[in-house]
Amino acid sequence: MKDNEPTLNSIEDYNTLKGSKKRVVWTVILAGLLIGSLFVGAKIYYGEANDTIHVQDPIVKVPVK
């Protein structure tokens, strides 16, 4: 393993990232935030699903077989 590659052993590895690697990290973070905000916006705009099917007959006894 190369010495200049980041590892999962410490959080300080991010501080040593430079150039394109740091841009990749920020791109992934921003893409995640953008996708998350799109899902939240769609949920707010379209609201909850109201296509539920109401069943009038309650199940009294469930057969064993």
Side-chain angles (χ1 to χ4, degrees):
M1 185 170 179
K2 295 180 182 178
D3 292 332
N4 60 355
E5 292 292 323
T7 63
L8 297 175
N9 293 334
S10 67
I11 193 79
E12 291 83 24
D13 284 336
Y14 176 75
N15 294 331
T16 61
L17 289 178
K18 290 182 174 69
S20 65
K21 290 181 183 179
K22 199 167 216 177
R23 272 186 253 125
V24 168
V25 171
W26 278 108
T27 302
V28 169
I29 291 171
L30 291 176
L33 290 172
L34 178 67
I35 292 170
S37 64
L38 288 175
F39 275 105
V40 169
K43 183 172 173 84
I44 290 171
Y45 181 75
Y46 293 110
E48 295 293 325
N50 55 3
D51 59 348
T52 57
I53 299 173
H54 298 286
V55 178
Q56 299 297 330
D57 298 329
I59 298 174
V60 179
K61 185 176 180 183
V62 178
V64 178
K65 281 190 167 182

